[in-house]
Amino acid sequence: MRRIGFSYEYPKLAGQSKARLLYVGDFTYDPYDERSRALIEYDTRTCNGGHYDLRRGRYVLLLFLGDKGIPFTTIRPMIGMYGRDKWKYYNEHIGEEFEIVVKEDEPCPDLNLGGTT
């Protein structure tokens, strides 16, 4: 099974451990562009209330459906380590399942995802 890594636990992951890649898109981030503000707020918010620092530039936008049925996005650089073309890589694996790997495995506080309490 392929793996996708995250530096931190994110609320968007909702404690899911696997996810199927549904979509690969092209995304250009400009911090002064109002149109992408909500997406960046959602996508980069960490469980401690901070945000992953995303720099201006061109990215690959990925949409996954997690093993609890909760969709989430992640934004990745277009070109990865060692010059790897991430656009091509992820397009070749649409429909495949990925293991979610979190480096800083500190769980999020109660997420209250709309279920009963």
Side-chain angles (χ1 to χ4, degrees), residues 38-99:
L39 172 62
I40 297 305
E41 169 64 28
Y42 156 79
D43 192 83
T44 64
R45 186 169 23 109
T46 63
C47 288
N48 67 8
H51 289 83
Y52 181 84
D53 184 26
L54 194 65
R55 297 194 170 109
R56 178 184 304 208
R58 192 166 167 218
Y59 292 89
V60 177
L61 175 66
L62 306 175
L63 174 64
F64 285 91
L65 181 62
D67 57 357
K68 294 180 181 176
I70 301 169
F72 63 91
T73 61
T74 187
I75 299 170
R76 303 295 164 126
M78 191 66 71
I79 304 298
M81 290 175 50
Y82 313 112
R84 185 179 195 182
D85 182 340
K86 288 191 178 182
W87 172 266
K88 180 180 177 190
Y89 171 78
Y90 285 113
N91 266 295
E92 291 173 351
H93 300 292
I94 291 175
E96 293 184 26
E97 192 171 67
F98 286 70
E99 176 186 5

Side-chain angles (χ1 to χ4, degrees), residues 95-112:
E96 293 184 26
E97 192 171 67
F98 286 70
E99 176 186 5
I100 298 170
V101 178
V102 179
K103 287 183 187 175
E104 297 290 327
D105 196 18
E106 183 176 318
C108 284
D110 181 19
L111 296 174
N112 191 5

Side-chain angles (χ1 to χ4, degrees), residues 16-42:
Q16 299 175 107
S17 60
K18 296 177 188 168
R20 186 166 308 282
L21 179 59
L22 301 178
Y23 171 81
V24 177
D26 190 347
F27 175 70
T28 300
Y29 174 58
D30 177 350
Y32 301 106
D33 185 349
E34 293 283 329
R35 295 173 295 176
S36 61
R37 188 164 295 184
L39 172 62
I40 297 305
E41 169 64 28
Y42 156 79

